[in-house]
Amino acid sequence: MGCWHMVLLGLLVLSLLSSCRCLVLSAPDVLARMPVPRSYIATAVFQDKLFVIGGWNGTARHDAVFVFDGSSWTGAPSMNTKRDDFYAAVFQDKLFVLGGMAWSLEGMGKVIGEVEVYDGTHWSPAPSLAVARSGHGAAVFQNKLFVVGGFDNDKELLNSVEVFDGGSWSTGPGLPRARMGMGVAVFQEKLFAIGGNIGDLASDTVDVFDGTSWTSMPSMPTARHYLAAAVFHAKLFAIGGGIGFNDGSALDSVEVFDGSSWSRAAPLATPRDCEGAVVFEGRLLAIGGNSRPSLQNPAAITLDSLEVVAA
Ligand SMILES: *[C@@H]1O[C@H](CO)[C@@H](O)[C@H](O)[C@H]1NC(C)=O
């Protein structure tokens, strides 16, 4: 009998230990980990799967595409161009990647206007942007694909807007102020450009396009650039981002706009900038990006984690 008690106690201890270990292994903030760390990525939901495209891993920019089905990762064909600091959008049942930063012959960054399109099987070239741009945003608005702002090869900030109708690009009404590294999303039937850099400084301002002209909306509580923006449960989310390039840490703050005012939501478990965000399987996710441990130690750590921002 004593022996059985010892065995039962042993089993109990073992099961407690293993459940503890499980908790430690899967921190509650981490929904999943990508096969590799990535920042300055483009993310999109395409054909019911989460796509993580290209980006920077801390030392190099990439053309690889990773696809998450909610439980495991597979690869999709790589883009024809290694690029980061770009945007993706699903338009007319195809996945578009737009502009960004590629390698130049000198091995440095070169801002590009090339557009590629993925049909679920392979990538092919689509008409290029008129203005090569990186740090821009894009969204489908009023059945057209809009590309907004960014910066060019002279590091000049852009206010220009380009519009794709499926056949060719045309020039749309320009942003009221040039900006880069902003969040772009469609919310309450308007195209939003949120935060980013205006001049050298991260901005809290919000410009919106109603299809005719640009106006302003209430500013976010927190100025931020290289944030991610997404619409979830009828609210517009501004997620993470940063305040400076080499003089600030990444933000954990999440702020939501209901159409009239901003409020704070639960912060990220991991501060991150240059991340992606999508709504996938009923949850708002933040994907990869850079963590910057502190103001004193701002060197970026590229993240592989996906976390749930809101559910
Ligand atoms: C980033 O990618 C490059 C090119 O594939 C690779 O050589 C390097 O080891 C990667 N760095 C990290 C930190 O994963």
Side-chain angles (χ1 to χ4, degrees), residues 7 10 18 49 80 82 112 156 159 171 194 223 225 242 253 263 288 291 295 308 310:
V7 169
S18 62
K49 297 201 172 79
N80 296 315
K82 295 182 164 79
I112 59 170
E156 292 292 327
N159 71 346
T171 303
I194 307 156
H225 65 204
S253 76
S263 57
S291 164
L295 232 59
V308 177

Short mmCIF file of all heavy atoms in Angstrom, two decimals, residues 7 10 18 49 80 82 112 156 159 171 194 223 225 242 253 263 288 291 295 308 310:
data_model
loop_
_atom_site.label_atom_id
_atom_site.label_comp_id
_atom_site.label_asym_id
_atom_site.label_seq_id
_atom_site.Cartn_x
_atom_site.Cartn_y
_atom_site.Cartn_z
N VAL A 7 3.88 5.59 -5.59
CA VAL A 7 3.75 5.63 -7.06
C VAL A 7 2.75 6.71 -7.47
O VAL A 7 2.98 7.51 -8.37
CB VAL A 7 3.32 4.25 -7.60
CG1 VAL A 7 2.93 4.35 -9.06
CG2 VAL A 7 4.45 3.26 -7.41
N GLY A 10 4.16 10.03 -6.97
CA GLY A 10 5.14 10.25 -8.05
C GLY A 10 4.45 10.66 -9.34
O GLY A 10 4.87 11.62 -9.98
N SER A 18 4.97 18.31 -15.59
CA SER A 18 4.86 18.42 -17.05
C SER A 18 3.86 19.51 -17.44
O SER A 18 4.05 20.18 -18.44
CB SER A 18 4.49 17.06 -17.67
OG SER A 18 3.24 16.66 -17.19
N LYS A 49 -5.62 31.66 -45.75
CA LYS A 49 -4.40 31.39 -45.01
C LYS A 49 -3.65 32.69 -44.77
O LYS A 49 -3.80 33.67 -45.50
CB LYS A 49 -3.51 30.40 -45.75
CG LYS A 49 -4.18 29.04 -45.92
CD LYS A 49 -3.16 27.95 -46.18
CE LYS A 49 -3.80 26.58 -46.15
NZ LYS A 49 -4.50 26.28 -47.41
N ASN A 80 9.83 37.10 -56.86
CA ASN A 80 10.97 37.25 -57.76
C ASN A 80 11.99 38.26 -57.24
O ASN A 80 13.10 38.33 -57.75
CB ASN A 80 10.49 37.68 -59.15
CG ASN A 80 9.61 36.61 -59.77
OD1 ASN A 80 9.95 35.43 -59.73
ND2 ASN A 80 8.46 37.01 -60.30
N LYS A 82 13.77 40.05 -53.69
CA LYS A 82 13.94 40.18 -52.24
C LYS A 82 13.60 41.60 -51.86
O LYS A 82 14.17 42.54 -52.43
CB LYS A 82 15.40 39.89 -51.87
CG LYS A 82 15.86 38.47 -52.12
CD LYS A 82 17.30 38.30 -51.66
CE LYS A 82 17.69 36.85 -51.53
NZ LYS A 82 18.02 36.19 -52.80
N ILE A 112 12.20 50.54 -54.76
CA ILE A 112 11.71 50.02 -56.04
C ILE A 112 10.21 50.30 -56.21
O ILE A 112 9.49 50.53 -55.25
CB ILE A 112 11.98 48.51 -56.19
CG1 ILE A 112 11.30 47.72 -55.06
CG2 ILE A 112 13.47 48.23 -56.22
CD1 ILE A 112 11.32 46.22 -55.26
N GLU A 156 13.33 61.28 -49.73
CA GLU A 156 12.29 62.31 -49.60
C GLU A 156 10.97 61.63 -49.27
O GLU A 156 10.61 60.62 -49.89
CB GLU A 156 12.13 63.07 -50.92
CG GLU A 156 13.30 63.95 -51.30
CD GLU A 156 13.45 65.14 -50.37
OE1 GLU A 156 12.41 65.65 -49.87
OE2 GLU A 156 14.60 65.54 -50.12
N ASN A 159 3.96 62.48 -50.67
CA ASN A 159 2.53 62.60 -50.39
C ASN A 159 1.70 61.99 -51.52
O ASN A 159 0.48 61.99 -51.46
CB ASN A 159 2.14 64.06 -50.14
CG ASN A 159 2.19 64.89 -51.40
OD1 ASN A 159 2.75 64.47 -52.41
ND2 ASN A 159 1.59 66.07 -51.37
N THR A 171 -2.78 58.47 -60.98
CA THR A 171 -2.46 59.28 -59.81
C THR A 171 -3.75 59.66 -59.10
O THR A 171 -4.70 60.12 -59.73
CB THR A 171 -1.71 60.55 -60.25
OG1 THR A 171 -0.55 60.14 -60.96
CG2 THR A 171 -1.28 61.38 -59.05
N ILE A 194 -2.48 56.60 -40.88
CA ILE A 194 -2.40 56.79 -39.43
C ILE A 194 -0.95 56.87 -38.99
O ILE A 194 -0.17 55.94 -39.21
CB ILE A 194 -3.07 55.58 -38.72
CG1 ILE A 194 -4.47 55.36 -39.25
CG2 ILE A 194 -3.06 55.76 -37.22
CD1 ILE A 194 -4.94 53.93 -39.07
N ALA A 223 2.05 59.28 -30.60
CA ALA A 223 2.73 59.37 -31.89
C ALA A 223 3.49 58.07 -32.12
O ALA A 223 4.09 57.52 -31.18
CB ALA A 223 3.69 60.56 -31.89
N HIS A 225 5.51 55.49 -35.46
CA HIS A 225 5.74 55.11 -36.84
C HIS A 225 6.02 53.61 -36.91
O HIS A 225 6.26 52.97 -35.89
CB HIS A 225 6.87 55.92 -37.48
CG HIS A 225 8.22 55.70 -36.87
ND1 HIS A 225 9.22 56.62 -36.96
CD2 HIS A 225 8.74 54.66 -36.18
CE1 HIS A 225 10.29 56.17 -36.36
NE2 HIS A 225 10.04 54.99 -35.88
N GLY A 242 7.05 52.47 -33.33
CA GLY A 242 8.17 53.06 -32.59
C GLY A 242 8.07 54.57 -32.62
O GLY A 242 7.19 55.15 -33.27
N SER A 253 2.04 49.79 -26.84
CA SER A 253 0.69 50.34 -26.71
C SER A 253 -0.17 50.04 -27.94
O SER A 253 0.32 50.00 -29.07
CB SER A 253 0.74 51.84 -26.41
OG SER A 253 1.06 52.56 -27.57
N SER A 263 -9.19 55.42 -27.79
CA SER A 263 -8.99 54.96 -26.42
C SER A 263 -7.89 53.90 -26.42
O SER A 263 -7.46 53.44 -27.49
CB SER A 263 -10.29 54.38 -25.85
OG SER A 263 -10.75 53.34 -26.68
N GLY A 288 5.55 39.10 -36.01
CA GLY A 288 6.97 39.44 -36.17
C GLY A 288 7.26 40.89 -35.80
O GLY A 288 6.69 41.44 -34.86
N SER A 291 11.73 43.99 -31.78
CA SER A 291 11.66 44.43 -30.41
C SER A 291 12.94 45.23 -30.14
O SER A 291 13.98 44.92 -30.71
CB SER A 291 11.58 43.20 -29.51
OG SER A 291 11.88 43.54 -28.21
N LEU A 295 15.68 52.14 -24.30
CA LEU A 295 16.22 53.38 -24.86
C LEU A 295 17.74 53.33 -24.89
O LEU A 295 18.37 53.84 -25.81
CB LEU A 295 15.76 54.54 -23.97
CG LEU A 295 15.08 55.71 -24.66
CD1 LEU A 295 13.83 55.24 -25.40
CD2 LEU A 295 14.70 56.75 -23.64
N VAL A 308 -1.74 37.40 -30.07
CA VAL A 308 -3.13 37.82 -30.22
C VAL A 308 -3.27 39.22 -29.63
O VAL A 308 -3.02 39.42 -28.44
CB VAL A 308 -4.07 36.82 -29.52
CG1 VAL A 308 -5.52 37.31 -29.61
CG2 VAL A 308 -3.92 35.43 -30.09
N ALA A 310 -6.23 41.09 -30.01
CA ALA A 310 -7.60 41.13 -29.52
C ALA A 310 -8.33 39.92 -30.08
O ALA A 310 -8.01 39.44 -31.17
CB ALA A 310 -8.29 42.42 -29.96
#
